[in-house]
Amino acid sequence: FHRSPAVYLLRDFVGFFAGPLYEVVDFPISRLLTYRIAAVFRWLALLAASATLVRTTAGRLALQRISAARALWGVVAGAAALAFFFAGPSLGHRTTAQSLREGLGGNVSDGPCEVVYQRGALPREHAALVARECAGHWRAFAEEWSFSPPEHVTVFLFADERSKKHFVGVGQTYVAKPWRREVYVQNAGFPHPVLGHELAHVAFAAVGRGPFAIAGRFGGSLPDPGRIEGFAVAASPRADTDATLAEWARAMSDLGRLPRLGALFQLGFFGESGARSYAASGAFVDFIRRTRGNSIALRWYGGEDLEELTGASFEQLEREWKVDLSHVTPAAEVLADAAVRFSGKAVFEKRCPHAVEREADEVESLCRLDFVGAEEAAQKAMKLDASRVDLEVVLPSCALAAGDAAGASRRAGALLERSDVPPWSRRDLWVTRGDAAWRSGDVDAARRRYTEALGASLATAGRRPVEVKLWALDQAVDVRDAVRELLTGPEEKGGAGRAAFLLGAWLERAPEDAMALYLVGKNLLSERMPRAALPLLKRSVAARLPLESVKREALRSWLVAACESNQQEEAEAARAALVASGASAARLNEATELVRRHFGVAAETKSK
C-alpha cells in the first residue's frame, strides 16, 4: 500500500486483503489461485535450497551435496517462482507505478500536473482537460491557502470503475496517496466531481508529516481522518449544490444530526455516516481558516495542537463555531436536501453492510434488464437489513422499465400507504406512478401524480425533471412526445435514439423555443460536445425559459460548456448572468472557482 499504487494485498499467509472500508470488492479468484501456485513454487525452491545446508557437530552451517533429482526440481521451482514474480503485474499479483503507466499507456501534462490516462478508452482531449482542471486546482490551493503545494502531482485517469478496480483494487472509491504525490480517479465528466478533493490531499502533503505525509498523531503515524478529510472538503467543496459548507452544517444542526467535534477529529470520524462526517469536518476547518487564518489552519494540519494555536479549548471553539452557524440561515429547500443527504447510517451501524451493498448493486445493474432478478436481490438485502426501504422504492421504476406500467403503479401505490417511507422516497414513488400513467396515455392522471410528487418533498434534487414533465403535459403533442421519451425512460431498445430524434424535430420546427434549445443543448453537453451545446444553451437563457429551476441549470450548463470548450469571454458572460439571476452563494462560489481554475482569473471574495 505504501510503496505502490495498489489498494489491495496478496501475501502467502494473508491471501487477499481488500483496502477500502466503504466499498464492496469482488476479487477475481483467478488472481488468488495463480498467486497460490506461485507460492508453492517459492516454497519448493526454498525447501530445495535449505536441503543443501546441514548443521555440523560444532553448531555451524555447512553445505552438503543433494541428489540430482532434488537439485533439478529446486532449479525448476526457482525458475518458475522467478517467472511468476516478473509476471506478477500482468497476473494482478501486484501493481507498480511502472506497470500502471504501461497498462494505461497515455500521458499528457499541464504545469505541475501529469495525467496518465487509459489510451484507447479515453480521448487525449479528455485527459488534457483533466490536466488543465488539475493545474487550476493547484493554483487555487496556493492562492487561497497561502502556501506552496508540492511541485508535481500525477493523476492516474481510468476509463471507468471496472478498469480502476482491475489495476488498483478499488472501483467506486476515489483514492489519493499524498506521500506518492498521486491520485487515482475514473473519468466522470466535466467538471470532475471529486478531482479537487483528491488533489487537496496531495497538496496538503506539503505540510503533512509522517510516512504518509498527512495529519495525525504520533508524528502522523496514527491518521486523523477528521483533519485529513476536513481540509480536503474545505479546500474543494462539493460542486453543483445550493448550499455552502456553513449552510450544510447549520442544516445538520437544525436536524439534530451535527456530529460532536471531540469525536470527529479522531477515529470517531467513522462513527458517523460519511456524509455527516465529511460535511461537518469540512465546515469546521473552513471556520478555523476564516476566523484564525491560513497559517494557524496549516500548522494544525501539520501536527501542532489546535488548542495551543488558538488559545481556546476544543469545547470553546465548538461553541464559537455554533454561534457562527447561528448567523447562517439555510433555505427551506436546503433543509429538505439535508434531511436526505444526512439520513444515512455510519458504516459500523449497518447490518452486514458489504453483503447488503453487494445485493444493492445487483438491484441497480439488473433493474432495466431483469426485473425478477432485481426483486430477488432486493429481498435478499432486506432480509439482512430491513431498514433498506430505498431498495423497495426503486422496484416500481424497475417494473416500469420492464414494460409493466400497471404493475409499477400498483407497487408504488402500496408503498405510499406505508408510514416508514420518507418524504423524498414518497416523491420518487409519485413520479413513478406519473410516468406509468403517461406511458399508458392517461395525461390527466400523470398530471395529478406529478403534482403530488412536487408536494411530497421540498428537496431540490430531482425536482427539475418533474417540473419539466408537468410543463410538457400542457404543450403540443410533438413536445409531449419528445419530453416523455427523454424523461420517462425509453420503452424499448432504441428509445434513447428516438428521444434524440424527437428533440431534433422539435428544435427544427421551433428554432427559437427556449425549452427545445435547452434540452438539446443539455443533451449535447452530456455527450461531451460542449462547442455544439454552448450556443444553444446561451440562446435558451436569452429566450426566457419558462421554469426557474431550468433557468438555473441552463446558466450553469452555459458556464460549464464555455469552460470545457475553453472560451473565456463566454464563461465570464455566463458567470455575470448567474450573478444577475440572484443565484445562491454556493452557486456563485462554484462559478467563480470554475472561471478562475480554467482561465486564471483573479478570485473574488467568497460567500460564507
Side-chain angles (χ1 to χ4, degrees), residues 152-206:
H152 182 265
V153 60
T154 301
V155 178
F156 288 97
L157 181 65
F158 303 86
D160 49 37
E161 290 181 8
R162 184 177 180 180
S163 299
K164 184 148 106 338
K165 183 180 291 188
H166 170 76
F167 284 105
V168 180
V170 290
Q172 298 173 359
T173 307
Y174 294 96
V175 179
K177 291 196 173 184
W179 63 96
R180 293 183 55 83
R181 310 298 193 259
E182 294 173 353
V183 301
Y184 316 92
V185 298
Q186 58 265 35
N187 189 41
F190 175 85
H192 197 287
V194 298
L195 179 64
H197 180 99
E198 300 305 329
L199 287 171
H201 287 310
V202 178
F204 288 120

Side-chain angles (χ1 to χ4, degrees), residues 401-478:
D404 184 8
S409 185
R410 184 175 61 255
R411 287 172 175 271
L415 284 166
L416 284 166
E417 294 177 359
R418 288 171 42 175
S419 60
D420 60 336
V421 177
W424 53 90
S425 294
R426 299 181 74 82
R427 187 176 72 185
D428 292 341
L429 293 168
W430 279 115
V431 170
T432 299
R433 295 197 77 192
D435 289 348
W438 198 359
R439 280 286 172 188
S440 301
D442 192 341
V443 173
D444 290 336
R447 183 181 291 106
R448 290 195 304 271
R449 290 166 180 176
Y450 290 145
T451 302
E452 287 278 3
L454 292 178
S457 171
L458 283 173
T460 54
R463 284 184 68 90
R464 187 175 65 253
V466 185
E467 292 175 347
V468 172
K469 291 173 186 177
L470 262 175
W471 170 85
L473 290 176
D474 294 324
Q475 307 306 310
V477 174
D478 63 333

